[in-house]
Each structure stands twice: as structure tokens, then as C-alpha cells.
Amino acid sequence: MKRDVIIACDFSSAKECYEFLDKFSAEEKKPFLKIGMELFYSAGPEIVKELKRRGFRIFLDLKLHDIPNTVKKAMKVLSTLDVDMVNVHASGTKEMMKAAKEGLTREDGSRPLLIAVTQLTSTSEQAMKEQLLIDNPIDDTIAHYAHNAMEAGLDGVVCSPLEVAKVKQACGPDFIAVTPGIRFADSAVDDQVRFTDPAKARELGSDFIVVGRPITAASNPVEAYNRCVKDFCADEEFVYNPSTFI
Ligand code: C5P
């Protein structure tokens, strides 16, 4: 599998999303897109089907977290959408993650990549201690949650680029690290606190970077996307091979 850039399509309507994607229509490489709760709840499964029809790869970022049986059934529904990557919260336990994988696996054995959120980057160590009563250092918790995800048979985790080394150390080099928190050195930081630029994320071992506003709010989104690809994928010429996806 080759590393790649995933654009976070944090739009509130299908119309806004299509207008944004039309800017890429002349590009040879169709970007990998992340559809999150906002767009999915506003535009529904239809937008996923339409974007797949247009040839985009999709990370459906719904971060499921419920009792194992409910997550299994929800994943069974998502498996019919033909997305390329979906996720759950690792804090839902190994039993929930195993159930998610079972639900996601189609009759022919194929399934999208299944990734776990460790600790959200918006959760501070202080909040973990005071509100969640988790006393361990945040890095240890992240590595432990990643290890649980690996034991449950998942493919990787979402984490900060700064946590990739710990995750790979705990779970091995092939365990996928999907990392948001990306900013160009010369662009706005917005509300991200712990961030790195695409070249640094590559150095730190990220497999996929998730980039939102540095691309979606850029005056020239296509140029910003190409800059991410150039800096993150570097000399690797990206060739999408569906067989590398399960
Ligand atoms: O605009 P920006 O590049 O900050 O977007 C980052 C995307 O990654 C958003 O969709 C955000 O919800 C998501 N994300 C994140 N940090 C996490 C998990 C997801 O920024 N820990």
C-alpha cells in the first residue's frame, strides 16, 4: 500500500462538496476523500454512492461507538456502501472492534479498511485524568488502545503524526497510521494544537494524512492538494491499485 493524502470534506451540504470537487475534474488523480458526520448526516448515504460512482476513494469517518451487536449491524449496512475505509472508537473495547470487523466483512470475505480512533487529539491528559479517571500518560494510553485494535484484527488507527512512532513500536510497521493535524509551515493553524507539515508527517511514518482547511479553504485548492501530495508522497508516483485494499 502506498501512502496518500486524504482530503477532509467538512462541508455542510452535498452542493458545497460537489462544487469543491468540480475544481479537481481536470486532474488525473482522483483524491481520496474523508466524509465525516456533518456531511453524512446532512447528505446521507446518497452522497457516498455518488462519489463512489464518480471514482473517488472514501474514508467514511463516522467513529462508531456502541454495544457490539449494534456496531456489528451498523457496519453491515456500511459494508454495502463500498467505501474504502471506516472507523470506530477503540474505547468501545476489543469485543466491539471485533464485532465491527465481523459486520463489515462481506460474504466474499472482502471489506473496507477498518481503523480505530485512539484518543481524540482534542482530549487533554488533564481531561483524561480528571474526567475519565485515566491516570496513565496519554502516549501510553494511545499505544495501548492501538494494541487493543491490532489484537481485535483492525488495520490501523487514527492518531497524531507525533504519536506514529509509539503506535508502530507497539503494533509493528504495517499497522496503518492515519494522521490529521496537518498544516503547511506557512499557513493558518486554525484550531489544531499539535500539528506537523506533510513532509514531517512522512518522516514520522504516517501512512495517510488527513488534510482539511489547508486545502478546502485555500485560494487554489488543487494547488494546495498537489503540494500535499508532492511533500507527503515525495518521489513515490502514486498508482492506486484496488487490490491493495482488502
Ligand atoms: O481542517 P483540518 O485539517 O483541521 O481537518 C482535520 C480533519 O481531521 C477534520 O475532519 C477533523 O474532524 C479530523 N480529525 C482531527 N483530529 C482527530 C481526529 C479527526 O483533526 N484527532
Side-chain angles (χ1 to χ4, degrees), residues 169-226:
Q169 195 183 17
C171 305
D174 295 336
F175 197 65
I176 297 170
V178 179
T179 65
I182 304 295
R183 290 295 177 266
F184 292 122
D186 55 2
S187 77
V189 163
D190 305 307
D191 51 356
Q192 292 287 7
V193 180
R194 301 173 72 210
F195 54 88
T196 52
D197 64 35
K200 184 76 186 162
R202 175 197 162 95
E203 256 176 63
L204 292 170
S206 297
D207 298 289
F208 292 92
I209 51 171
V210 176
V211 189
R213 288 159 291 178
I215 296 175
T216 55
S219 53
N220 186 336
V222 175
E223 194 179 271
Y225 170 69
N226 286 333

Side-chain angles (χ1 to χ4, degrees), residues 82-103:
D82 193 28
V83 293
D84 301 273
M85 189 187 288
V86 292
N87 61 359
V88 292
H89 271 283
S91 52
T93 74
K94 284 193 233 176
E95 287 67 33
M96 190 205 77
M97 291 190 272
K98 282 183 193 163
K101 187 174 168 183
E102 268 176 48

Side-chain angles (χ1 to χ4, degrees), residues 7-10 34 36 59 61 63 87 117 119-122 158-160 178-183 189-192 210-216:
I7 304 179
C9 291
D10 293 326
K34 178 172 90 70
F59 167 22
D61 177 23
K63 301 188 179 72
N87 61 359
V117 175
Q119 278 292 347
L120 292 171
T121 44
S122 52
V158 182
C159 62
S160 152
V178 179
T179 65
I182 304 295
R183 290 295 177 266
V189 163
D190 305 307
D191 51 356
Q192 292 287 7
V210 176
V211 189
R213 288 159 291 178
I215 296 175
T216 55

Side-chain angles (χ1 to χ4, degrees), residues 13-71:
S13 70
K15 182 171 174 283
E16 257 183 89
C17 183
Y18 293 141
E19 277 169 10
F20 169 74
L21 293 175
D22 283 347
K23 300 183 203 303
F24 291 82
S25 54
E27 299 299 297
E28 262 175 47
K29 173 170 152 53
K30 293 248 181 199
F32 202 136
L33 309 176
K34 178 172 90 70
I35 307 271
M37 291 184 216
E38 184 186 13
L39 187 56
F40 191 75
Y41 292 154
S42 104
E46 276 318 307
I47 190 160
V48 174
K49 289 180 191 161
E50 176 57 22
L51 293 175
K52 284 303 296 182
R53 202 186 58 73
R54 295 185 187 192
F56 291 98
R57 286 156 292 145
I58 295 181
F59 167 22
L60 191 55
D61 177 23
L62 299 181
K63 301 188 179 72
L64 273 65
H65 187 174
D66 208 315
I67 60 170
N69 184 54
T70 302
V71 169

Side-chain angles (χ1 to χ4, degrees), residues 6 8 19 30 36 38 42 72 77 81 114 121 125-126 128 145-147 149 173-174 178 182 187 195 198-199 201 230:
I6 302 178
E19 277 169 10
K30 293 248 181 199
E38 184 186 13
S42 104
K72 182 176 171 176
V77 177
L81 290 179
L114 180 57
T121 44
E125 200 161 273
Q126 191 186 1
M128 280 173 57
Y145 281 23
H147 197 259
D174 295 336
V178 179
I182 304 295
S187 77
F195 54 88
K230 183 170 156 284

